[in-house]
Amino acid sequence: MKRFFSGWSLIRLYTILVYVFLFAPIVAVIILSFNPEQFGSFPMKGFSFRWYVKLAQNDSILHAFKNSMILGSLTALLVTTIGVPAAMAFVRYEFPGKNALNTLLLTPIMIPEVVLGVALLLFIRWLQQPKSFLLLLIGHVVITLPYVLLVVQARLVGIRREYEEAAMTLGANAFHTFREVTLPLLMPAILAGMLFAFTISFDDVTATLFWATAHNQTVPVKIFGMLRNSISPEINALGTVMIALTVSVPLLAGYLSRRFSRGGS
Amino acid sequence: MQEKPWKPWALLAPSITAVFLLLVIPVCFIVVYSFWLRAPTGADIPAFQFGNYQKFFADFFYPGILLRTIRVSLETVALCLVMGYIPAYFFYRSETRHKAALLLLIMLPFWISFIIRTLSWINILGDTGLFNHALMRIGIISEPLGLLYNEGAVLLGLIQYLLPFMILNVYVSLEGIDKNLLEAARSLGCTEWQAFREVTLPLSLPGVSAGCLLVFVLTAGTYLPPMILGGPGNDMIANLIFKRVIGTLDWPFGSAISVILLGLLCVIIYTYNRYLGISQIFKSFQGN
Protein backbone atom coordinates (compact mmCIF):
# COMPACT_ATOMS: atom_id res chain seq x y z
CA MET A 1 0.00 0.00 0.00
CA LYS A 2 2.84 2.33 0.84
CA ARG A 3 4.40 1.74 -2.57
CA PHE A 4 1.14 2.62 -4.29
CA PHE A 5 0.95 5.78 -2.26
CA SER A 6 4.34 6.95 -3.46
CA GLY A 7 3.35 6.01 -7.02
CA TRP A 8 0.27 8.13 -6.64
CA SER A 9 2.26 11.17 -5.46
CA LEU A 10 4.47 10.79 -8.52
CA ILE A 11 1.36 10.82 -10.70
CA ARG A 12 0.16 13.93 -8.92
CA LEU A 13 3.53 15.65 -9.29
CA TYR A 14 3.59 14.78 -12.99
CA THR A 15 0.12 16.25 -13.43
CA ILE A 16 1.16 19.47 -11.69
CA LEU A 17 4.19 19.73 -13.99
CA VAL A 18 1.95 19.32 -17.04
CA TYR A 19 -0.20 22.18 -15.75
CA VAL A 20 2.91 24.32 -15.29
CA PHE A 21 3.93 23.51 -18.86
CA LEU A 22 0.51 24.47 -20.20
CA PHE A 23 0.13 27.69 -18.26
CA ALA A 24 3.62 29.12 -17.67
CA PRO A 25 3.87 30.73 -21.14
CA ILE A 26 0.39 32.23 -20.83
CA VAL A 27 1.13 33.59 -17.36
CA ALA A 28 4.34 35.08 -18.77
CA VAL A 29 2.32 36.93 -21.43
CA ILE A 30 0.09 38.44 -18.76
CA ILE A 31 2.95 39.42 -16.44
CA LEU A 32 5.11 40.92 -19.18
CA SER A 33 2.25 43.05 -20.47
CA PHE A 34 2.71 45.18 -17.35
CA ASN A 35 6.43 45.73 -17.97
CA PRO A 36 6.99 49.43 -18.66
CA GLU A 37 10.23 48.85 -20.64
CA GLN A 38 10.35 49.32 -24.40
CA PHE A 39 11.73 45.85 -25.06
CA GLY A 40 9.88 44.43 -22.12
CA SER A 41 11.08 41.02 -21.15
CA PHE A 42 12.46 39.55 -17.98
CA PRO A 43 13.45 40.99 -15.53
CA MET A 44 10.43 43.16 -14.78
CA LYS A 45 11.40 46.81 -14.32
CA GLY A 46 8.30 47.92 -12.50
CA PHE A 47 4.58 47.77 -13.11
CA SER A 48 2.56 49.99 -15.39
CA PHE A 49 -0.48 50.14 -17.61
CA ARG A 50 1.56 52.02 -20.23
CA TRP A 51 0.99 49.48 -23.01
CA TYR A 52 -2.72 49.21 -22.32
CA VAL A 53 -3.04 52.97 -22.63
CA LYS A 54 -1.09 52.80 -25.88
CA LEU A 55 -3.42 50.07 -27.17
CA ALA A 56 -6.48 52.15 -26.37
CA GLN A 57 -5.02 54.99 -28.44
CA ASN A 58 -4.19 52.83 -31.46
CA ASP A 59 -6.97 53.30 -34.00
CA SER A 60 -6.12 50.30 -36.17
CA ILE A 61 -6.20 47.97 -33.16
CA LEU A 62 -9.50 49.41 -31.97
CA HIS A 63 -10.85 48.92 -35.48
CA ALA A 64 -9.70 45.30 -35.49
CA PHE A 65 -11.33 44.81 -32.10
CA LYS A 66 -14.63 46.22 -33.30
CA ASN A 67 -14.41 44.04 -36.39
CA SER A 68 -13.74 40.92 -34.32
CA MET A 69 -16.63 41.65 -31.98
CA ILE A 70 -19.12 42.19 -34.82
CA LEU A 71 -17.81 39.15 -36.71
CA GLY A 72 -17.97 36.91 -33.63
CA SER A 73 -21.49 38.02 -32.72
CA LEU A 74 -22.87 37.64 -36.24
CA THR A 75 -21.18 34.25 -36.61
CA ALA A 76 -22.71 33.11 -33.33
CA LEU A 77 -26.20 34.27 -34.35
CA LEU A 78 -26.03 32.83 -37.84
CA VAL A 79 -24.50 29.48 -36.91
CA THR A 80 -27.00 28.79 -34.13
CA THR A 81 -29.85 29.76 -36.44
CA ILE A 82 -28.85 27.03 -38.88
CA GLY A 83 -27.19 24.66 -36.39
CA VAL A 84 -29.86 24.29 -33.70
CA PRO A 85 -32.58 23.05 -36.12
CA ALA A 86 -30.05 20.57 -37.55
CA ALA A 87 -29.17 19.34 -34.06
CA MET A 88 -32.91 18.90 -33.34
CA ALA A 89 -33.32 16.87 -36.52
CA PHE A 90 -30.50 14.52 -35.48
CA VAL A 91 -31.70 14.07 -31.90
CA ARG A 92 -35.48 13.99 -32.41
CA TYR A 93 -36.05 12.22 -35.73
CA GLU A 94 -35.22 8.99 -37.47
CA PHE A 95 -34.63 9.26 -41.20
CA PRO A 96 -32.61 7.48 -43.86
CA GLY A 97 -28.99 8.60 -44.22
CA LYS A 98 -28.93 10.12 -40.74
CA ASN A 99 -25.47 8.89 -39.79
CA ALA A 100 -23.90 9.82 -43.11
CA LEU A 101 -25.34 13.33 -42.90
CA ASN A 102 -24.21 13.74 -39.32
CA THR A 103 -20.68 12.79 -40.39
CA LEU A 104 -20.87 15.18 -43.35
CA LEU A 105 -21.80 18.09 -41.10
CA LEU A 106 -18.93 17.25 -38.72
CA THR A 107 -16.25 16.91 -41.42
CA PRO A 108 -15.08 20.55 -41.16
CA ILE A 109 -13.40 19.50 -37.88
CA MET A 110 -11.22 16.98 -39.70
CA ILE A 111 -10.38 19.14 -42.72
CA PRO A 112 -7.31 21.28 -42.03
CA GLU A 113 -8.16 24.94 -41.75
CA VAL A 114 -5.44 25.79 -44.28
CA VAL A 115 -7.25 23.75 -46.91
CA LEU A 116 -10.56 25.32 -45.88
CA GLY A 117 -8.97 28.74 -46.18
CA VAL A 118 -7.56 28.10 -49.65
CA ALA A 119 -10.73 26.37 -50.87
CA LEU A 120 -13.14 29.13 -49.93
CA LEU A 121 -10.78 31.83 -51.20
CA LEU A 122 -10.42 30.02 -54.52
CA PHE A 123 -14.17 29.68 -54.83
CA ILE A 124 -14.73 33.38 -54.12
CA ARG A 125 -12.04 34.23 -56.67
CA TRP A 126 -13.72 32.06 -59.28
CA LEU A 127 -16.97 33.88 -58.59
CA GLN A 128 -14.96 37.09 -59.13
CA GLN A 129 -15.94 38.44 -55.75
CA PRO A 130 -13.47 40.51 -53.72
CA LYS A 131 -12.35 39.45 -50.24
CA SER A 132 -14.86 41.02 -47.92
CA PHE A 133 -16.41 40.92 -44.48
CA LEU A 134 -19.01 38.53 -45.89
CA LEU A 135 -16.26 36.04 -46.78
CA LEU A 136 -15.01 36.11 -43.18
CA LEU A 137 -18.56 35.62 -41.92
CA ILE A 138 -19.46 32.63 -44.09
CA GLY A 139 -16.03 31.12 -43.49
CA HIS A 140 -16.44 31.36 -39.73
CA VAL A 141 -19.92 29.86 -39.95
CA VAL A 142 -18.46 26.78 -41.68
CA ILE A 143 -15.66 26.49 -39.11
CA THR A 144 -17.94 26.81 -36.07
CA LEU A 145 -20.90 24.75 -37.32
CA PRO A 146 -19.60 21.30 -36.27
CA TYR A 147 -18.70 22.49 -32.76
CA VAL A 148 -22.13 24.08 -32.30
CA LEU A 149 -23.79 20.89 -33.55
CA LEU A 150 -21.85 18.75 -31.07
CA VAL A 151 -22.51 21.01 -28.08
CA VAL A 152 -26.21 21.53 -28.83
CA GLN A 153 -26.80 17.84 -29.60
CA ALA A 154 -25.21 16.82 -26.32
CA ARG A 155 -27.55 19.12 -24.38
CA LEU A 156 -30.61 18.20 -26.44
CA VAL A 157 -30.33 14.53 -25.59
CA GLY A 158 -31.05 15.48 -21.98
CA ILE A 159 -34.38 17.22 -22.74
CA ARG A 160 -37.32 14.86 -22.47
CA ARG A 161 -39.90 14.51 -25.23
CA GLU A 162 -42.78 14.23 -22.73
CA TYR A 163 -42.97 17.96 -22.04
CA GLU A 164 -43.66 18.71 -25.68
CA GLU A 165 -46.14 15.88 -25.95
CA ALA A 166 -47.96 17.13 -22.84
CA ALA A 167 -48.26 20.60 -24.36
CA MET A 168 -49.59 19.12 -27.60
CA THR A 169 -52.14 17.02 -25.72
CA LEU A 170 -53.29 20.11 -23.88
CA GLY A 171 -54.11 21.73 -27.19
CA ALA A 172 -51.03 23.78 -28.14
CA ASN A 173 -50.16 23.81 -31.83
CA ALA A 174 -46.66 23.03 -33.06
CA PHE A 175 -45.54 26.65 -33.10
CA HIS A 176 -46.85 27.35 -29.61
CA THR A 177 -45.27 24.18 -28.28
CA PHE A 178 -41.91 25.21 -29.68
CA ARG A 179 -42.13 28.76 -28.36
CA GLU A 180 -43.50 27.98 -24.90
CA VAL A 181 -41.92 24.60 -24.11
CA THR A 182 -39.07 23.55 -26.38
CA LEU A 183 -37.35 26.91 -26.81
CA PRO A 184 -37.08 27.75 -23.08
CA LEU A 185 -35.74 24.24 -22.38
CA LEU A 186 -33.34 24.63 -25.28
CA MET A 187 -32.11 28.07 -24.30
CA PRO A 188 -29.05 26.91 -22.27
CA ALA A 189 -27.95 24.74 -25.21
CA ILE A 190 -28.41 27.61 -27.66
CA LEU A 191 -26.48 30.01 -25.45
CA ALA A 192 -23.68 27.48 -24.98
CA GLY A 193 -23.49 27.04 -28.76
CA MET A 194 -23.44 30.79 -29.36
CA LEU A 195 -20.72 31.33 -26.79
CA PHE A 196 -18.61 28.56 -28.27
CA ALA A 197 -19.07 29.94 -31.78
CA PHE A 198 -18.18 33.44 -30.64
CA THR A 199 -14.89 32.42 -29.04
CA ILE A 200 -13.85 30.20 -31.94
CA SER A 201 -14.56 33.01 -34.39
CA PHE A 202 -12.92 35.61 -32.18
CA ASP A 203 -9.77 33.50 -31.74
CA ASP A 204 -9.39 31.97 -35.19
CA VAL A 205 -6.23 32.80 -37.07
CA THR A 206 -5.27 29.88 -39.33
CA ALA A 207 -8.07 30.22 -41.88
CA THR A 208 -8.79 33.88 -41.19
CA LEU A 209 -5.31 34.89 -42.40
CA PHE A 210 -6.36 33.71 -45.86
CA TRP A 211 -9.60 35.66 -45.87
CA ALA A 212 -8.72 38.93 -44.11
CA THR A 213 -7.72 42.11 -45.93
CA ALA A 214 -6.00 45.23 -44.66
CA HIS A 215 -9.42 46.77 -44.11
CA ASN A 216 -11.01 43.70 -42.60
CA GLN A 217 -8.58 42.62 -39.93
CA THR A 218 -9.51 40.71 -36.82
CA VAL A 219 -7.49 40.97 -33.60
CA PRO A 220 -5.52 37.71 -34.13
CA VAL A 221 -4.67 38.78 -37.69
CA LYS A 222 -3.52 42.13 -36.31
CA ILE A 223 -1.33 40.34 -33.75
CA PHE A 224 0.14 38.23 -36.54
CA GLY A 225 1.05 41.38 -38.43
CA MET A 226 2.62 42.98 -35.36
CA LEU A 227 4.71 39.84 -34.71
CA ARG A 228 6.50 40.42 -38.00
CA ASN A 229 8.74 42.93 -36.22
CA SER A 230 9.32 41.10 -32.96
CA ILE A 231 7.46 40.38 -29.78
CA SER A 232 6.75 43.52 -27.77
CA PRO A 233 4.99 44.38 -24.52
CA GLU A 234 2.24 45.83 -26.69
CA ILE A 235 1.56 42.40 -28.19
CA ASN A 236 1.56 40.89 -24.71
CA ALA A 237 -0.94 43.53 -23.58
CA LEU A 238 -3.20 42.87 -26.55
CA GLY A 239 -2.92 39.14 -25.88
CA THR A 240 -3.87 39.68 -22.25
CA VAL A 241 -6.97 41.65 -23.26
CA MET A 242 -7.99 38.80 -25.58
CA ILE A 243 -7.36 36.15 -22.94
CA ALA A 244 -9.39 38.14 -20.40
CA LEU A 245 -12.26 38.42 -22.84
CA THR A 246 -12.41 34.90 -24.27
CA VAL A 247 -11.78 33.19 -20.94
CA SER A 248 -13.93 35.27 -18.61
CA VAL A 249 -17.09 35.24 -20.75
CA PRO A 250 -17.57 31.44 -20.79
CA LEU A 251 -16.49 31.11 -17.15
CA LEU A 252 -19.03 33.74 -16.16
CA ALA A 253 -21.73 32.10 -18.27
CA GLY A 254 -21.00 28.71 -16.71
CA TYR A 255 -21.14 30.20 -13.23
CA LEU A 256 -24.42 31.99 -13.93
CA SER A 257 -26.08 28.95 -15.49
CA ARG A 258 -25.07 26.82 -12.52
CA ARG A 259 -26.44 29.41 -10.12
CA PHE A 260 -29.72 29.70 -11.97
CA SER A 261 -30.21 25.99 -12.31
CA ARG A 262 -29.53 25.58 -8.61
CA GLY A 263 -32.01 28.34 -7.81
CA GLY A 264 -34.59 26.70 -10.04
CA SER A 265 -34.55 23.26 -8.53
CA MET B 1 -44.67 14.63 -35.25
CA GLN B 2 -43.58 11.34 -36.71
CA GLU B 3 -46.22 11.57 -39.44
CA LYS B 4 -44.37 14.34 -41.29
CA PRO B 5 -41.33 12.73 -42.90
CA TRP B 6 -40.23 16.00 -44.52
CA LYS B 7 -39.77 17.74 -41.20
CA PRO B 8 -36.21 16.65 -40.31
CA TRP B 9 -35.16 17.56 -43.85
CA ALA B 10 -36.57 21.04 -43.44
CA LEU B 11 -34.63 21.42 -40.20
CA LEU B 12 -31.44 20.15 -41.83
CA ALA B 13 -31.72 22.05 -45.10
CA PRO B 14 -29.91 25.26 -44.06
CA SER B 15 -26.93 23.42 -42.54
CA ILE B 16 -26.58 21.00 -45.43
CA THR B 17 -26.82 23.83 -47.94
CA ALA B 18 -24.15 25.79 -46.08
CA VAL B 19 -21.74 22.85 -45.88
CA PHE B 20 -22.28 21.93 -49.53
CA LEU B 21 -21.92 25.45 -50.85
CA LEU B 22 -19.07 26.56 -48.61
CA LEU B 23 -17.13 23.35 -48.08
CA VAL B 24 -17.87 20.52 -50.49
CA ILE B 25 -17.94 22.63 -53.65
CA PRO B 26 -14.88 24.74 -52.72
CA VAL B 27 -12.88 21.58 -51.93
CA CYS B 28 -13.87 20.16 -55.33
CA PHE B 29 -12.60 23.43 -56.77
CA ILE B 30 -9.18 22.84 -55.25
CA VAL B 31 -9.01 19.47 -56.98
CA VAL B 32 -10.00 20.99 -60.34
CA TYR B 33 -7.59 23.90 -59.94
CA SER B 34 -4.69 21.60 -59.12
CA PHE B 35 -4.69 20.46 -62.79
CA TRP B 36 -4.59 24.01 -64.16
CA LEU B 37 -1.59 25.81 -65.56
CA ARG B 38 -0.03 29.00 -64.36
CA ALA B 39 1.01 31.37 -67.13
CA PRO B 40 4.30 33.29 -66.72
CA THR B 41 2.16 36.43 -66.47
CA GLY B 42 0.54 34.99 -63.36
CA ALA B 43 -2.83 34.20 -64.97
CA ASP B 44 -4.41 30.81 -64.35
CA ILE B 45 -5.16 28.77 -67.47
CA PRO B 46 -7.80 26.01 -67.34
CA ALA B 47 -6.16 22.75 -68.34
CA PHE B 48 -5.95 19.10 -67.44
CA GLN B 49 -2.34 18.19 -66.83
CA PHE B 50 -0.30 16.78 -63.97
CA GLY B 51 2.48 19.37 -64.12
CA ASN B 52 1.81 20.68 -60.62
CA TYR B 53 2.09 17.19 -59.13
CA GLN B 54 5.18 16.43 -61.20
CA LYS B 55 6.73 19.63 -59.90
CA PHE B 56 6.03 18.51 -56.33
CA PHE B 57 7.69 15.14 -56.79
CA ALA B 58 10.39 16.31 -59.23
CA ASP B 59 13.16 16.47 -56.65
CA PHE B 60 13.59 15.86 -52.95
CA PHE B 61 12.71 19.37 -51.80
CA TYR B 62 8.91 19.12 -51.59
CA PRO B 63 8.66 15.42 -50.67
CA GLY B 64 11.19 16.22 -47.94
CA ILE B 65 8.78 18.74 -46.47
CA LEU B 66 5.97 16.19 -46.71
CA LEU B 67 8.09 13.62 -44.87
CA ARG B 68 9.05 16.22 -42.27
CA THR B 69 5.35 16.98 -41.73
CA ILE B 70 4.66 13.31 -41.09
CA ARG B 71 7.68 12.97 -38.79
CA VAL B 72 6.87 16.10 -36.75
CA SER B 73 3.23 15.00 -36.50
CA LEU B 74 4.26 11.57 -35.21
CA GLU B 75 6.67 13.16 -32.72
CA THR B 76 3.88 15.44 -31.50
CA VAL B 77 1.52 12.48 -31.13
CA ALA B 78 4.09 10.51 -29.13
CA LEU B 79 4.95 13.44 -26.85
CA CYS B 80 1.29 14.34 -26.28
CA LEU B 81 0.58 10.74 -25.37
CA VAL B 82 3.47 10.58 -22.91
CA MET B 83 2.55 13.94 -21.37
CA GLY B 84 -1.21 13.46 -21.52
CA TYR B 85 -1.98 9.93 -20.36
CA ILE B 86 -0.86 10.37 -16.76
CA PRO B 87 -2.85 13.58 -16.10
CA ALA B 88 -5.94 11.94 -17.65
CA TYR B 89 -5.41 8.95 -15.36
CA PHE B 90 -5.00 11.33 -12.44
CA PHE B 91 -8.40 12.94 -13.17
CA TYR B 92 -9.99 9.51 -13.46
CA ARG B 93 -8.69 8.13 -10.17
CA SER B 94 -8.47 11.29 -8.12
CA GLU B 95 -11.10 11.89 -5.47
CA THR B 96 -10.23 15.53 -4.90
CA ARG B 97 -13.07 18.00 -4.51
CA HIS B 98 -11.44 20.24 -7.10
CA LYS B 99 -11.69 17.73 -9.94
CA ALA B 100 -14.24 19.83 -11.87
CA ALA B 101 -12.05 22.92 -11.53
CA LEU B 102 -8.95 20.99 -12.65
CA LEU B 103 -10.77 19.68 -15.72
CA LEU B 104 -12.00 23.17 -16.51
CA LEU B 105 -8.39 24.37 -16.36
CA ILE B 106 -7.38 21.75 -18.93
CA MET B 107 -10.11 23.06 -21.24
CA LEU B 108 -9.14 26.67 -20.63
CA PRO B 109 -6.49 26.77 -23.40
CA PHE B 110 -9.26 25.99 -25.93
CA TRP B 111 -10.63 29.43 -25.16
CA ILE B 112 -7.29 31.19 -25.70
CA SER B 113 -6.34 32.19 -29.22
CA PHE B 114 -3.90 29.85 -30.95
CA ILE B 115 -1.69 32.77 -31.97
CA ILE B 116 -1.31 33.95 -28.37
CA ARG B 117 -0.50 30.46 -27.14
CA THR B 118 2.10 30.14 -29.91
CA LEU B 119 3.76 33.52 -29.45
CA SER B 120 3.77 33.08 -25.67
CA TRP B 121 6.72 30.71 -26.09
CA ILE B 122 8.86 33.59 -27.36
CA ASN B 123 8.59 35.08 -23.86
CA ILE B 124 9.96 31.84 -22.43
CA LEU B 125 12.54 30.75 -25.02
CA GLY B 126 13.68 34.03 -26.57
CA ASP B 127 17.15 35.52 -26.08
CA THR B 128 15.77 37.75 -23.31
CA GLY B 129 13.12 35.20 -22.31
CA LEU B 130 12.50 33.61 -18.96
CA PHE B 131 14.73 30.59 -19.55
CA ASN B 132 17.83 32.43 -20.70
CA HIS B 133 17.31 35.12 -18.11
CA ALA B 134 17.12 32.58 -15.30
CA LEU B 135 20.17 30.64 -16.51
CA MET B 136 22.26 33.80 -16.86
CA ARG B 137 21.13 34.99 -13.44
CA ILE B 138 22.34 31.77 -11.84
CA GLY B 139 25.53 32.10 -13.85
CA ILE B 140 25.39 28.81 -15.76
CA ILE B 141 25.70 30.64 -19.09
CA SER B 142 26.99 34.07 -20.02
CA GLU B 143 25.53 34.31 -23.52
CA PRO B 144 21.86 33.53 -24.23
CA LEU B 145 21.28 30.11 -25.75
CA GLY B 146 19.53 30.11 -29.11
CA LEU B 147 16.45 28.22 -28.02
CA LEU B 148 14.04 29.58 -30.61
CA TYR B 149 13.74 28.92 -34.33
CA ASN B 150 14.41 25.20 -34.23
CA GLU B 151 12.33 22.03 -34.26
CA GLY B 152 12.31 21.76 -30.48
CA ALA B 153 10.58 25.13 -30.14
CA VAL B 154 8.07 24.14 -32.83
CA LEU B 155 7.32 20.92 -30.95
CA LEU B 156 6.77 22.80 -27.68
CA GLY B 157 4.28 25.10 -29.40
CA LEU B 158 2.50 22.15 -31.03
CA ILE B 159 2.29 20.18 -27.79
CA GLN B 160 0.89 23.13 -25.90
CA TYR B 161 -1.78 23.48 -28.58
CA LEU B 162 -2.69 19.80 -28.81
CA LEU B 163 -2.12 18.33 -25.35
CA PRO B 164 -5.63 19.27 -24.07
CA PHE B 165 -7.17 17.33 -26.99
CA MET B 166 -5.20 14.22 -26.01
CA ILE B 167 -5.93 14.53 -22.28
CA LEU B 168 -9.66 14.97 -22.87
CA ASN B 169 -9.90 12.05 -25.29
CA VAL B 170 -8.10 9.70 -22.92
CA TYR B 171 -10.07 10.99 -19.93
CA VAL B 172 -13.46 10.50 -21.64
CA SER B 173 -12.46 6.93 -22.41
CA LEU B 174 -11.16 6.25 -18.87
CA GLU B 175 -14.28 7.74 -17.32
CA GLY B 176 -16.36 5.18 -19.22
CA ILE B 177 -14.63 2.25 -17.47
CA ASP B 178 -16.69 0.57 -14.79
CA LYS B 179 -14.74 0.99 -11.55
CA ASN B 180 -16.15 -2.35 -10.30
CA LEU B 181 -13.90 -4.05 -12.83
CA LEU B 182 -10.87 -2.62 -11.06
CA GLU B 183 -12.13 -3.71 -7.66
CA ALA B 184 -12.82 -7.18 -9.04
CA ALA B 185 -9.27 -7.40 -10.37
CA ARG B 186 -7.87 -6.19 -7.06
CA SER B 187 -9.95 -8.61 -5.00
CA LEU B 188 -8.81 -11.45 -7.24
CA GLY B 189 -5.26 -10.69 -6.23
CA CYS B 190 -3.95 -8.29 -8.85
CA THR B 191 -1.48 -5.68 -7.71
CA GLU B 192 -2.37 -2.06 -8.50
CA TRP B 193 0.06 -2.12 -11.41
CA GLN B 194 -1.30 -5.42 -12.79
CA ALA B 195 -4.87 -4.11 -12.53
CA PHE B 196 -3.83 -1.06 -14.50
CA ARG B 197 -1.98 -3.09 -17.12
CA GLU B 198 -4.62 -5.76 -17.56
CA VAL B 199 -7.85 -3.78 -17.10
CA THR B 200 -7.55 -0.01 -17.27
CA LEU B 201 -4.97 0.32 -20.03
CA PRO B 202 -6.67 -1.94 -22.59
CA LEU B 203 -10.07 -0.37 -21.91
CA SER B 204 -8.67 3.14 -22.40
CA LEU B 205 -7.17 2.37 -25.81
CA PRO B 206 -10.16 3.69 -27.81
CA GLY B 207 -9.58 7.11 -26.25
CA VAL B 208 -5.84 6.86 -26.80
CA SER B 209 -6.22 6.07 -30.49
CA ALA B 210 -8.86 8.78 -30.96
CA GLY B 211 -6.56 11.30 -29.28
CA CYS B 212 -3.63 10.19 -31.45
CA LEU B 213 -5.62 10.57 -34.66
CA LEU B 214 -6.91 14.00 -33.70
CA VAL B 215 -3.45 15.24 -32.71
CA PHE B 216 -1.92 13.88 -35.92
CA VAL B 217 -4.55 15.44 -38.18
CA LEU B 218 -4.40 18.81 -36.44
CA THR B 219 -0.59 18.89 -36.46
CA ALA B 220 -0.30 17.94 -40.12
CA GLY B 221 -2.54 20.84 -41.12
CA THR B 222 -1.03 23.62 -39.05
CA TYR B 223 1.43 26.30 -40.12
CA LEU B 224 1.52 28.75 -37.22
CA PRO B 225 4.07 27.13 -34.84
CA PRO B 226 6.65 26.47 -37.60
CA MET B 227 6.13 30.00 -38.90
CA ILE B 228 6.47 31.76 -35.54
CA LEU B 229 8.71 29.42 -33.52
CA GLY B 230 10.58 27.59 -36.29
CA GLY B 231 13.49 28.50 -38.54
CA PRO B 232 13.80 28.26 -42.31
CA GLY B 233 14.35 24.51 -42.11
CA ASN B 234 11.25 23.76 -40.06
CA ASP B 235 8.52 24.47 -42.62
CA MET B 236 5.74 21.94 -42.81
CA ILE B 237 3.38 21.31 -45.70
CA ALA B 238 0.81 23.86 -44.52
CA ASN B 239 3.54 26.53 -44.54
CA LEU B 240 4.20 25.63 -48.15
CA ILE B 241 0.53 26.12 -49.01
CA PHE B 242 0.50 29.46 -47.21
CA LYS B 243 3.59 30.66 -49.04
CA ARG B 244 2.38 29.57 -52.47
CA VAL B 245 -1.13 31.00 -52.09
CA ILE B 246 -0.55 34.17 -50.04
CA GLY B 247 3.07 34.81 -51.01
CA THR B 248 3.56 33.98 -54.69
CA LEU B 249 -0.15 33.69 -55.62
CA ASP B 250 0.58 30.42 -57.40
CA TRP B 251 -2.96 29.05 -57.09
CA PRO B 252 -2.65 25.89 -59.20
CA PHE B 253 0.49 24.70 -57.37
CA GLY B 254 -0.95 25.74 -53.98
CA SER B 255 -4.08 23.74 -54.83
CA ALA B 256 -2.02 20.69 -55.78
CA ILE B 257 -0.18 20.80 -52.43
CA SER B 258 -3.53 21.15 -50.65
CA VAL B 259 -4.81 18.08 -52.49
CA ILE B 260 -1.70 16.14 -51.46
CA LEU B 261 -2.20 17.13 -47.80
CA LEU B 262 -5.90 16.29 -48.00
CA GLY B 263 -5.06 12.96 -49.65
CA LEU B 264 -2.61 12.05 -46.89
CA LEU B 265 -5.18 12.83 -44.20
CA CYS B 266 -7.96 11.00 -46.07
CA VAL B 267 -5.86 7.84 -46.25
CA ILE B 268 -5.11 8.05 -42.53
CA ILE B 269 -8.69 8.83 -41.48
CA TYR B 270 -10.12 6.18 -43.81
CA THR B 271 -7.77 3.52 -42.46
CA TYR B 272 -8.56 4.56 -38.91
CA ASN B 273 -12.31 4.51 -39.49
CA ARG B 274 -12.07 1.14 -41.20
CA TYR B 275 -10.43 -0.52 -38.23
CA LEU B 276 -11.34 1.58 -35.20
CA GLY B 277 -14.39 3.76 -35.97
CA ILE B 278 -14.41 7.50 -36.05
CA SER B 279 -17.24 8.33 -33.64
CA GLN B 280 -15.05 8.24 -30.52
CA ILE B 281 -13.33 11.41 -31.71
CA PHE B 282 -16.41 13.55 -31.36
CA LYS B 283 -17.19 12.43 -27.80
CA SER B 284 -14.48 14.54 -26.24
CA PHE B 285 -15.90 17.72 -27.77
CA GLN B 286 -19.29 17.05 -26.23
CA GLY B 287 -17.84 17.09 -22.74
CA ASN B 288 -17.21 20.82 -23.07
Side-chain angles (χ1 to χ4, degrees), chain A residues 19 22 82 114 116 125 206 246, chain B residues 23 44 102 111 160 221 223:
Chain A
Y19 271 93
L22 280 177
I82 68 170
V114 202
L116 221 62
R125 218 172 90 94
T206 308
T246 53
Chain B
L23 182 85
D44 306 328
L102 287 173
W111 303 99
Q160 205 213 12
Y223 62 81

Side-chain angles (χ1 to χ4, degrees), chain A residues 221-232:
Chain A
V221 172
K222 185 80 200 162
I223 294 179
F224 181 82
M226 289 162 77
L227 257 183
R228 278 297 151 103
N229 305 318
S230 150
I231 194 155
S232 67

Side-chain angles (χ1 to χ4, degrees), chain B residues 96-169:
Chain B
T96 162
R97 281 183 297 123
H98 310 295
K99 195 158 141 179
L102 287 173
L103 270 171
L104 193 70
L105 267 181
I106 282 294
M107 281 185 240
L108 209 59
F110 286 132
W111 303 99
I112 298 174
S113 182
F114 186 22
I115 190 154
I116 296 170
R117 280 184 280 161
T118 308
L119 71 85
S120 69
W121 282 99
I122 301 178
N123 289 322
I124 303 290
L125 300 173
D127 281 354
T128 55
L130 181 63
F131 219 81
N132 276 319
H133 172 68
L135 287 180
M136 288 201 283
R137 209 46 178 308
I138 306 169
I140 296 179
I141 52 171
S142 53
E143 289 283 298
L145 301 169
L147 298 170
L148 272 179
Y149 313 120
N150 54 45
E151 195 172 303
V154 175
L155 279 171
L156 284 180
L158 285 168
I159 295 166
Q160 205 213 12
Y161 162 46
L162 295 157
L163 190 55
F165 288 98
M166 179 66 92
I167 294 179
L168 281 180
N169 267 291

Side-chain angles (χ1 to χ4, degrees), chain A residues 14-15 19 22-23 25 29 32 41 82 101 112 114 116 122 125-126 142 150 199 203 206 209 236 246 251, chain B residues 9 11-12 15 22-23 29 44 82 90-91 102 104-106 111 113 120 123 128 160 221 223 251 265 286:
Chain A
Y14 194 98
T15 306
Y19 271 93
L22 280 177
F23 288 103
V29 167
L32 288 175
S41 53
I82 68 170
L101 277 176
V114 202
L116 221 62
L122 201 61
R125 218 172 90 94
W126 183 78
V142 176
L150 285 170
T199 32
D203 285 343
T206 308
L209 271 176
N236 284 326
T246 53
L251 285 185
Chain B
W9 297 103
L11 291 171
L12 278 171
S15 290
L22 304 174
L23 182 85
F29 254 83
D44 306 328
V82 170
F90 174 81
F91 296 138
L102 287 173
L104 193 70
L105 267 181
I106 282 294
W111 303 99
S113 182
S120 69
N123 289 322
T128 55
Q160 205 213 12
Y223 62 81
W251 292 88
L265 296 182
Q286 295 191 313

Side-chain angles (χ1 to χ4, degrees), chain B residues 32-44:
Chain B
V32 171
Y33 239 80
S34 70
F35 298 114
W36 285 23
L37 273 169
R38 185 174 192 244
T41 52
D44 306 328

Side-chain angles (χ1 to χ4, degrees), chain A residues 26-63:
Chain A
I26 294 165
V27 172
V29 167
I30 297 172
I31 292 175
L32 288 175
S33 72
F34 296 107
N35 194 340
E37 291 288 297
Q38 179 71 47
F39 303 102
S41 53
F42 292 104
M44 290 286 287
K45 301 244 174 67
F47 181 93
S48 93
F49 287 98
R50 177 184 166 192
W51 301 107
Y52 290 91
V53 174
K54 202 168 169 222
L55 280 183
Q57 291 162 346
N58 186 329
D59 279 339
S60 76
I61 286 175
L62 290 180
H63 183 254

